[in-house]
């Protein structure tokens, strides 16, 4: 698809802008995006992945009534670096790794939108990873346990319970 | 070994060997973003905090040497001349971001420049491995091994659910950006490129110009990389990229064959004209030189020209960049002077002395 602005370069940015219910689709190339900076959501002059992200974050609340929940989200604050959620949504970047904890309740929709997923399934750090692997296993076993109980398979349930206890013991021993 | 070595030579040693599919794939690159616990990310870090990051990470390189990763040299960005920074960017050894805002920034390079580790860029640590041709698996193996060495020595910011925590939400999870640089002139000439690029976008990959974010594709060179870093394993990301790039190579090959069979005279004319212009012009703008070099590269691949080797063409791609020209011919240059020296460099390298 060619850029709808210059009609020369391939369109590499595709997005939809909704203003008071009216939907407009954009298919443009990066150089036109940079020139047109102002008309795109969440940008002011310079166009970058961060301004695009912050546009996404801002849109979360836009168009809707500011509910108590969104107000609460905006006032979330990271105690480690001092960044607030509203600063984060303007910058499109976290201040430190603790921000992930403090903003956790608001992050799922963002990650879902950017990555289509909210949880990591890849590499685990070797030192901290063993514990996480046990935790992941325990979570799975607990789900199985619930299922066996609801299906009244008590023998299986007892076995699962023992397995969970063993793993929990191993974690505390580490 | 001095820092000058890294900026005097246009072609990194790793680029001299071809690698698989090297007639179409210029390079494969893995970048892993990591951060230390607690310390603010570089964007917010004070000078002292940035120094602390460097203090924690720098000793690890000695361990790297012990475990067989070769010799590394650490360069602090504040100690480098502006021009040297520019050249490092043109060689893809550091990002424009690190060159422009180098508070507490450093780069660690190994002897053949195939490993470049940036400190205090957007994240505390960015491990980058470069391989010639299509070698995404090999590049990943090396990057993850280096990652393991760091992980054994420092405490990474890692979360059970979110994975490796990064400054930008687009890198969270694996922190992995796997990319491949491809030369696709026949797909561009046969107007198939847009269709292919939009298909690429639909499978979670993204396409950019060769100098990264915000730059346009010059000389028919495209960078294809993964877009998603959360919810996919590293091997899924790498295999997806590998398989898509393999298919693109196939399409490019078919398009080249079709060009040769359907319009041999036209393509021969185009290649030879470009070769002639590069060999004789007195002024040469960067954009034109990139396009003409692309034609010549295609001509060499198709056997239309016996001319310059792929290695010489790779070298010219880097040497014709503004920073490198200034490095070779003098610091202060007007745009016209740059075009003049670029033309001179091309004439001399491609054999004509006129």
């Amino acid at each position: 698809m060619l850029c709808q602005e210059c009609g020369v370069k391939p369109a590499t940015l595709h997005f939809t802008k909704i203003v008071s219910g009216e939907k407009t689709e954009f298919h443009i190339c990066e150089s036109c995006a940079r020139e047109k900076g102002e008309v795109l959501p969440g940008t002011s002059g310079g166009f970058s992945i961060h301004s695009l992200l912050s546009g996404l974050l801002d849109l979360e609340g836009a168009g809707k009534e500011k509910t108590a929940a969104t107000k609460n989200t905006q006032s979330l604050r990271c105690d480690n670096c001092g960044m607030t959620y509203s600063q984060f949504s303007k910058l499109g970047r976290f201040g430190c790794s603790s921000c992930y904890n403090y903003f956790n309740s608001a992050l799922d929709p963002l990650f879902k939108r950017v990555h289509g997923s909210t949880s990591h399934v890849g590499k685990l750090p070797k030192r901290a990873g063993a514990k996480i692997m046990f935790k992941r296993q325990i979570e799975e076993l607990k789900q199985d346990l619930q299922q066996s109980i609801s299906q009244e398979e008590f023998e299986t349930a007892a076995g699962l319970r023992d397995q969970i206890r063993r793993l929990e013991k191993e974690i505390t021993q580490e | 070994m001095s820092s000058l070595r890294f900026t005097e030579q246009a072609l990194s040693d790793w680029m001299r060997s071809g690698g698989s599919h090297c007639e179409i794939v210029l390079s494969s690159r893995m970048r892993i973003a990591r951060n230390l616990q607690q310390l603010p990310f570089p964007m917010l870090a004070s000078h002292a905090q940035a120094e602390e990051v460097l203090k924690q990470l720098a000793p690890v390189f000695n361990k790297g040497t012990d475990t067989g990763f070769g010799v590394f040299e650490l360069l602090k960005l504040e100690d480098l001349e502006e021009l040297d920074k520019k050249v490092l960017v043109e060689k893809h050894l550091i990002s424009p971001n690190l060159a422009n805002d180098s508070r507490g920034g450093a780069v660690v390079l190994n002897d053949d420049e195939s490993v470049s580790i940036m400190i205090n860029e957007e994240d505390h640590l960015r491990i980058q491995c470069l391989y010639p041709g299509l070698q995404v698996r090999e590049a990943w193996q090396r990057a993850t091994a280096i990652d393991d060495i760091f992980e054994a020595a420092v405490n990474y910011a890692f979360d059970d659910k979110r994975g490796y925590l990064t400054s930008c939400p687009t890198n969270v999870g694996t922190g992995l950006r796997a990319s491949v640089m491809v030369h696709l002139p026949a797909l561009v000439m046969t107007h198939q490129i847009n269709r292919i690029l939009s298909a690429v976008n639909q499978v979670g990959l993204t396409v950019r110009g060769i100098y990264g974010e915000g730059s346009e594709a010059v000389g028919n060179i495209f960078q294809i990389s993964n877009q998603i870093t959360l919810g996919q394993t590293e091997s899924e990301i790498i295999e997806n990229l590998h398989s898509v790039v393999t298919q693109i190579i196939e399409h490019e090959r078919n398009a080249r064959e079709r060009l040769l069979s359907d319009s041999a005279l036209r393509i021969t004319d185009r290649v030879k004209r470009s070769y002639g212009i590069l060999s004789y012009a007195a002024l040469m703008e960067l954009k034109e030189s990139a396009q003409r070099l692309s034609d010549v590269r295609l001509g060499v691949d198709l056997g239309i020209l016996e001319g310059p080797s792929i290695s010489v063409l790779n070298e010219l791609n880097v040497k014709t960049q503004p920073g490198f020209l200034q490095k070779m011919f003098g610091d202060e240059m007007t745009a016209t002077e740059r075009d003049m020296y670029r033309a001179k460099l091309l004439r001399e390298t491609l054999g004509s002395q006129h």
Side-chain angles (χ1 to χ4, degrees), chain B residues 183-251:
Chain B
H183 180 231
L184 306 174
L187 288 175
V188 173
M189 273 183 230
T190 54
H191 307 291
Q192 297 175 74
I193 194 76
N194 293 336
R195 196 165 47 83
I196 285 174
L197 297 189
S198 65
V200 164
N201 280 327
Q202 278 161 17
V203 292
L205 299 174
T206 167
V207 184
R208 289 181 188 155
I210 55 166
Y211 282 89
E213 210 172 286
S215 69
E216 50 183 311
V218 284
N220 303 322
I221 296 173
F222 299 86
Q223 182 186 309
I224 302 173
S225 57
N226 65 308
Q227 203 162 15
I228 290 163
T229 58
L230 190 66
Q232 285 185 355
T233 66
E234 287 82 355
S235 61
E236 281 168 346
I237 292 170
I238 284 155
E239 290 310 315
N240 183 29
L241 180 65
H242 190 276
S243 116
V244 168
V245 171
T246 309
Q247 290 175 56
I248 292 176
I249 293 171
E250 201 53 44
H251 283 298

Side-chain angles (χ1 to χ4, degrees), chain B residues 285-310:
Chain B
E285 283 184 13
L286 178 61
K287 209 169 175 181
E288 183 179 357
S289 108
Q291 183 54 52
R292 305 266 176 219
L293 283 170
S294 166
D295 289 345
V296 169
R297 179 183 277 266
L298 178 68
V300 172
D301 290 344
L302 293 179
I304 295 169
L305 284 177
E306 280 184 20
S309 69
I310 292 297

